Amino acid sequence: MNYYETILIFNGKYTEAKYKSMTDQYIKQITDLGGLIKKIDRLGKKKLAYEIKGIKEGWYTIFYYQANPELIPELERIIRIDDTTLKFLTIRRDPEEDEEYVKVNDQPEEIKSEQEPPGEIDYFNLAYNIK
């Protein structure tokens, strides 16, 4: 099973209750297709960078999950059929990068402050490969 991240932008004209039900619907879809939800970020309603089909706001949600590769085409087919979704993007995540991120950011503040800041970089020698 691979790690995936799917970002969905729902139509901004819906209420918060409808948004939560749409999110729950996709949680059910992913689990029904054999996926394992790891985390969900409900980012809320935000202004879109550009108008999509005359809509200026959207509800943003990010799903982090583990699934077999066969799940992705079926999930994306379901998303394309759904008229409440404006845009979506699915990417495969590297679990090793996630573990490194957790290891670094889970350190207590005392340990982080004890680490020495990087020294000055000699850009001249770096650019001309002078040793």
Side-chain angles (χ1 to χ4, degrees):
M1 290 178 74
N2 298 323
Y3 291 88
Y4 294 96
E5 174 181 328
T6 299
I7 303 166
L8 291 171
I9 304 175
F10 297 107
N11 193 330
K13 72 178 183 181
Y14 297 110
T15 63
E16 190 169 354
K18 174 71 174 168
Y19 161 65
K20 287 183 180 178
S21 72
M22 290 184 293
T23 305
D24 293 340
Q25 174 188 349
Y26 279 103
I27 292 169
K28 185 178 181 324
Q29 290 290 338
I30 292 170
T31 54
D32 286 350
L33 292 170
L36 226 114
I37 302 283
K38 296 293 184 183
K39 181 180 168 187
I40 300 167
D41 283 338
R42 292 183 172 135
L43 302 175
K45 195 175 201 178
K46 299 188 181 289
K47 184 178 177 189
L48 298 173
Y50 55 90
E51 255 184 59
I52 302 171
K53 301 177 190 172
I55 298 165
K56 296 179 181 179
E57 289 184 325
W59 292 97
Y60 286 72
T61 305
I62 305 173
F63 297 95
Y64 301 92
Y65 55 96
Q66 196 174 3
N68 289 321
E70 298 82 31
L71 176 139
I72 303 305
E74 180 61 21
L75 179 65
E76 289 183 349
R77 185 190 69 80
I78 292 168
I79 293 171
R80 282 187 191 97
I81 293 171
D82 187 5
D83 61 345
T84 61
T85 307
L86 297 175
K87 291 277 182 184
F88 70 94
L89 176 68
T90 301
I91 59 171
R92 183 174 169 201
R93 297 185 54 93
D94 185 8
E96 293 168 2
E97 287 179 8
D98 291 342
E99 288 173 14
E100 288 175 13
Y101 175 79
V102 170
K103 286 178 190 173
V104 170
N105 289 321
D106 282 348
Q107 293 178 354
E109 282 299 317
E110 307 88 53
I111 296 173
K112 287 181 186 177
S113 62
E114 289 174 9
Q115 294 174 349
E116 293 182 24
E120 285 191 32
I121 299 172
D122 186 359
Y123 290 105
F124 179 80
N125 290 334
L126 185 66
Y128 294 101
N129 290 327
I130 299 172
K131 296 187 182 194

